Amino acid sequence: MSPVFHMPRWLTPVGAAFAGSLLLSLVARLPGLINRDGILYVNVAQVFIEAGFGAAQEVFSWPFFPALIGIFSRITGLDPESAGYLLNALFMAGACALLVAGCRRQQPETAWMVCLTTLALPGLNEYRNELLREYGCWFFTMLAFWLAIRWSERPRWPAALAVQASLAIAALFRPEALALLAALIGWQAFTAPRGERLRRLAMIGAPALVGAAVLLILYATGSLAQGNRLAGDLGRLDLERFNLKAQAIAAVLPEFAQKNAHTILLVGSLAVIPVKFFGKIGIFLVPLLAFLTGRQVRQALAVHAPFAWGFGVHLLVLAVFVTDLQFLAGRYVAPLYLMGAPFLGWGLLQLVRRIPHWRWPILATAIILMFANVVSLSPGKTHFVDAGKWLSANATDSPRVYIESGRAAYYAGWKHRNRPPETRNTLAEALSRGEYDLLVLEVSREETGFEKWAEGAGLRIVQRFAHSGNDDVIVAEPAHPQPPNAPSSTERSR
């Protein structure tokens, strides 16, 4: 029984986290529209089913999740999209349950509060309607941490290898999961009993360090294949890339500020992390403050040391990523909420203990948040479906159709084509050469002057599928078609 909520004996926080997560994923899926990344994974899964892993890798450089969707689709008989969403729901439910199980093992009285936090955190739950490979990564990461907590109670080599194998599988979904091995090594370096410290470090770290050394040697010698995802991620550590970006920024700064270009780039990039983190934490800022201002911060960090180290290491991963790209998607920050949930749950427990009559309002608020994260009241983007139906009935999939709206093409039942993106200017040049007979374009509300560009490019709008947010799918064709490979206007003038 929880010291805060008196629950039936059959209802445990771990079971509630698993079942509650499955329910939230089901509710989030009810609208039925798939996200852009999900379309890619489904298309690659179909390629895997039809032509194997090698063909899938030609379309997407890290195709392990799409391959798993393809295998699961064959086993269950579900179509790849449904199979992918079911896998995601199971992975997310497992991740939530394992997180709560690990916290209950270390601090039983916080388990229910961690369960509520995990299911209600906006930044962790608002992506349930999307088909993403992050969920598999989160599941195997939480499995690794749960196994590590159990291993620390009775260190044995098989258990240590199971921890590292779990993180290796997590890396098949998101390669940066390998960095969390450093979190487990740091945890043992500072908390293991002195007499066992070297032995434990050898168990939890030696195989991983050997693997990391081999990977770095392969990268340094150029042995990793060109375009390899691991090589791309390791390339983010290249200082020359950072220097080139700083020089580009210096070129647009006033002369007296140019010497600070590196500092401006670094600090400005790193500032994106707290902006993203606090922007998605919502009302859980209150338990965070309660935790940070409480008397048990040091005790909590010691009790949940693996998660504290995981939080710190993932912060470093985000720092490398954002310094390289000056961009962070919200789901990249989500592991911080996973690692921080034990401490937010601790803060929530402190609030309830200080003001006991708050416990039921807190429970009600958490339940409202759970469904607010997965139920959208904004108009659905059914214009993609409508555009897809129109294309299916009125056009034929062909290399001479330029597809900018992958979602419209998906709902038309057209196969994925891995065409590099084109700007409006290069697209106009391609039109002047007669390369396309039909164009399926996505026009954002921020793109002003589209009609003027279309007129200048010689396009006639055939159909417009509008969304209430002013984002449209536009089907257009050349007003005066040119034969394929016709010389451009520039070439004709020459």
Side-chain angles (χ1 to χ4, degrees):
M1 258 194 209
S2 167
V4 179
F5 301 113
H6 297 284
M7 299 294 182
R9 287 186 177 274
W10 57 266
L11 183 60
T12 67
V14 175
F18 188 87
S21 179
L22 284 179
L23 174 62
L24 292 175
S25 295
L26 173 63
V27 173
R29 179 61 184 141
L30 290 178
L33 292 181
I34 190 170
N35 56 306
R36 287 175 178 168
D37 285 356
I39 289 173
L40 170 64
Y41 301 144
V42 169
N43 284 329
V44 177
Q46 192 62 50
V47 172
F48 170 79
I49 292 171
E50 295 172 358
F53 189 83
Q57 196 169 24
E58 291 180 5
V59 179
F60 181 52
S61 64
W62 204 252
F64 300 97
F65 177 50
L68 182 61
I69 291 176
I71 294 170
F72 193 60
S73 173
R74 282 181 170 176
I75 292 173
T76 60
L78 296 170
D79 61 273
E81 181 181 330
S82 299
Y85 272 104
L86 179 56
L87 272 175
N88 270 187
L90 292 172
F91 279 144
M92 185 60 174
C96 292
L98 287 166
L99 173 59
V100 174
C103 293
R104 184 179 65 173
R105 200 171 189 90
Q106 295 172 294
Q107 193 76 7
E109 61 265 33
T110 65
W112 273 111
M113 290 306 185
V114 173
C115 175
L116 287 178
T117 300
T118 304
L119 295 178
L121 263 171
L124 189 59
N125 292 279
E126 64 183 7
Y127 306 103
R128 288 180 180 270
N129 64 318
E130 298 186 11
L131 185 57
L132 301 170
R133 55 199 167 105
E134 274 78 4
Y135 296 117
C137 178
W138 298 348
F139 170 75
F140 285 103
T141 296
M142 288 299 103
L143 177 61
F145 275 61
W146 179 75
L147 289 171
I149 291 167
R150 291 173 58 91
W151 165 85
S152 68
E153 298 167 1
R154 192 183 176 194
R156 294 291 186 272
W157 272 103
L161 293 175
V163 171
Q164 294 167 76
S166 296
L167 280 181
I169 297 172
L172 297 181
F173 294 86
R174 298 286 316 184
E176 60 269 22
L178 291 174
L180 291 171
L181 286 166
L184 299 180
I185 293 171
W187 163 48
Q188 285 302 298
F190 283 86
T191 61
R194 283 188 179 180
E196 295 185 28
R197 187 165 298 170
L198 287 177
R199 175 173 167 266
R200 290 191 177 206
L201 285 174
M203 283 185 184
I204 204 71
L209 290 175
V210 170
V214 170
L215 183 62
L216 289 173
I217 290 171
L218 291 174
Y219 175 73
T221 57
S223 299
L224 287 180
Q226 187 70 23
N228 183 282
R229 185 60 182 261
L230 289 174
D233 285 344
L234 289 172
R236 302 190 195 284
L237 300 171
D238 188 353
L239 290 177
E240 185 59 30
R241 287 164 64 161
F242 180 77
N243 289 332
L244 290 173
K245 290 182 175 68
Q247 290 170 14
I249 289 176
V252 298
L253 290 174
E255 186 176 351
F256 61 85
Q258 290 179 358
K259 63 181 180 180
N260 297 320
H262 287 78
T263 303
I264 292 170
L265 175 60
L266 179 62
V267 175
S269 298
L270 294 180
V272 176
I273 300 174
V275 169
K276 286 284 186 179
F277 179 80
F278 289 107
K280 296 289 186 180
I281 200 170
I283 199 172
F284 280 92
L285 182 62
V286 177
L288 175 62
L289 293 174
F291 169 72
L292 294 175
T293 57
R295 299 177 181 178
Q296 298 176 316
V297 173
R298 187 170 296 180
Q299 179 189 351
L301 292 174
V303 169
H304 297 298
F307 298 104
W309 277 93
F311 189 97
V313 167
H314 192 68
L315 265 181
L316 293 176
V317 170
L318 293 179
V320 171
F321 187 93
V322 77
T323 302
D324 182 48
L325 293 182
Q326 292 73 57
F327 162 79
L328 274 184
R331 65 181 185 272
Y332 300 165
V333 183
L336 292 182
Y337 301 117
L338 270 177
M339 299 297 176
F343 309 105
L344 293 174
W346 197 303
L348 207 56
L349 182 62
Q350 289 178 327
L351 281 175
V352 171
R353 284 179 172 173
R354 290 175 193 170
I355 314 172
H357 61 270
W358 276 22
R359 60 179 179 169
W360 294 112
I362 284 176
L363 176 61
T365 303
I367 293 174
I368 292 171
L369 275 174
M370 289 178 198
F371 288 96
N373 290 330
V374 297
V375 176
S376 175
L377 299 179
S378 60
K381 297 181 178 180
T382 55
H383 62 305
F384 292 117
V385 180
D386 296 336
K389 290 179 179 177
W390 187 92
L391 289 171
S392 178
N394 297 279
T396 304
D397 188 12
S398 160
R400 293 189 57 78
V401 178
Y402 175 70
I403 301 173
E404 188 174 78
S405 177
R407 285 177 284 190
Y410 178 80
Y411 287 110
W414 292 0
K415 288 185 178 292
H416 174 79
R417 291 203 302 276
N418 193 21
R419 177 181 289 117
E422 298 184 12
T423 65
R424 292 285 185 247
N425 289 336
T426 56
L427 183 55
E429 282 292 315
L431 284 168
S432 69
R433 294 191 295 269
E435 293 185 10
Y436 302 118
D437 297 327
L438 194 70
L439 298 90
V440 185
L441 306 174
E442 281 191 29
V443 181
S444 167
R445 71 191 74 176
E446 299 173 357
E447 185 178 350
T448 58
F450 172 79
E451 280 75 11
K452 185 177 180 181
W453 171 86
E455 183 180 353
L459 284 178
R460 181 178 70 87
I461 295 176
V462 179
Q463 286 288 332
R464 181 188 292 266
F465 302 91
H467 184 254
S468 59
N470 297 324
D471 289 335
D472 298 346
V473 175
I474 291 178
V475 180
E477 65 182 7
H480 305 289
Q482 296 191 31
N485 301 319
S488 67
S489 57
T490 305
E491 291 169 337
R492 287 196 298 270
S493 66
R494 288 175 182 172

